[in-house]
Amino acid sequence: MPDAVTPADERDGLRADCSRCAALCCVGPAFAASTDFAIDKPAGQPCPNLRDDNGCGIHDRLRHKGFGGCAAFDCFGAGQQVVQVTFGGAVWRDSPEIAASMFTVLPVVRQLHEARWYLAEAGSLLPDGPLRQEAEHLAAVTRERAGATADVLAALDTDGFRQQVGELLGRVSATVRARVPGPGVSLPGADLVEADLAGADLRGGSLRGACLIAADLRGADLDRADLLGADLRGADVCGTLLAGSLFLTQPQVDAASGDGATTLPSVLVRPRHWAGG
């Protein structure tokens, strides 16, 4: 019998491998001209920076060229899953008839893979017991769903699925944060745009879904703080203690601005554009 998949192994397999994709994220989604994207791009139309070999012509200059949204995007391995598994290696350039279906299922599989990332983390945070077993069971179900056919994926009730996963992660978060001494700040969904939180003690708090765009989090302590879905675009996390935070993802980190003193969970990578990165 093969060894069971550990949480760390699960997340290692949920990283984008563009060499096994077909630039789906450069074609399928629509872009709206904003601080994240320099142009408008309709859904299903290749980005003008996309080369014929599926590489990006400005990959090393994305932020400088106004495509910070592309630089921070992570498909959690959904791109290669759709190309290599869902469509058996076929690509939209060679088979235009499958293009619409590929672009339709990409965000569905991405949502499933992102959920797998969170559920793997949940399993690593919990001791043996009913809640961990529930998280591991839902992770297995999610993994199976991600391997379904294109038709099944397109028909998936994503709203219901997101609610199911979110509810479980909320219970996991509450369980883990309850171990932190003190009440912990509770600001889920809060508007904290440009908020001054420098040096703040946010340990064990809930910032789930909070809007922290351009917030000053320098030197703040977010040990076991729930950051699920928090918007960290342009947030200053220089010297911020993020290593023990809950449900932090690479796209959130890539969208923020940190330095060599910022601590990160071991499964995340320090962005190259950070000072001292």
Side-chain angles (χ1 to χ4, degrees):
M1 179 179 294
D3 294 336
V5 176
T6 66
D9 291 338
E10 181 83 356
R11 284 179 282 181
D12 285 343
L14 295 172
R15 304 180 191 278
D17 183 352
C18 297
S19 68
R20 301 179 61 223
C21 184
L24 299 186
C25 66
C26 303
V27 185
F31 300 164
S34 62
T35 56
D36 292 322
F37 299 103
I39 60 172
D40 289 321
K41 186 193 82 65
Q45 178 176 307
C47 173
N49 298 306
L50 181 64
R51 303 190 309 240
D52 291 341
D53 65 356
N54 289 330
C56 175
I58 59 169
H59 187 266
D60 59 343
R61 311 184 301 281
L62 283 170
R63 285 185 170 83
H64 177 70
K65 292 289 187 178
F67 289 87
C70 294
F73 178 78
D74 190 327
C75 72
F76 294 93
Q80 65 257 30
Q81 173 78 13
V82 170
V83 172
Q84 302 298 333
V85 178
T86 312
F87 288 90
V91 298
W92 59 273
R93 286 188 187 274
D94 301 329
S95 304
E97 70 277 4
I98 66 172
S101 182
M102 293 189 89
F103 303 148
T104 295
V105 302
L106 176 66
V108 177
V109 176
R110 184 187 184 277
Q111 184 175 144
L112 291 168
H113 277 208
E114 184 176 10
R116 288 175 59 192
W117 180 283
Y118 291 138
L119 291 166
E121 180 176 344
S124 73
L125 294 168
L126 298 168
D128 289 336
L131 186 55
R132 178 171 178 173
Q133 292 172 6
E134 186 178 350
E136 291 176 344
H137 172 71
L138 185 53
V141 170
T142 306
R143 185 164 54 250
E144 181 178 358
R145 286 178 176 175
T149 65
D151 288 343
V152 171
L153 287 165
L156 180 68
D157 176 9
T158 53
D159 290 339
F161 169 77
R162 186 186 302 110
Q163 183 176 358
Q164 180 184 12
V165 173
E167 189 276 332
L168 186 145
L169 294 178
R171 286 188 281 129
V172 172
S173 172
T175 299
V176 175
R177 291 186 293 109
R179 304 171 190 161
V180 182
V185 63
S186 182
L187 295 169
D191 182 356
L192 297 171
V193 175
E194 299 183 345
D196 182 3
L197 296 169
D201 183 356
L202 301 171
R203 291 175 298 168
S206 176
L207 292 168
R208 173 180 289 215
C211 186
L212 288 156
I213 294 175
D216 185 355
L217 288 162
R218 290 174 298 168
D221 189 346
L222 285 95
D223 182 42
R224 285 170 286 183
D226 188 343
L227 293 175
L228 180 69
D231 192 339
L232 294 174
R233 285 178 294 169
D236 189 339
V237 295
C238 290
T240 304
L241 303 181
L242 293 169
S245 59
L246 308 181
F247 306 127
L248 182 67
T249 63
Q250 194 67 50
Q252 289 171 297
V253 170
D254 289 344
S257 178
D259 62 8
T262 306
T263 67
L264 293 173
S266 60
V267 294
L268 301 183
V269 177
R270 189 174 304 278
R272 292 183 180 180
H273 69 278
W274 281 13

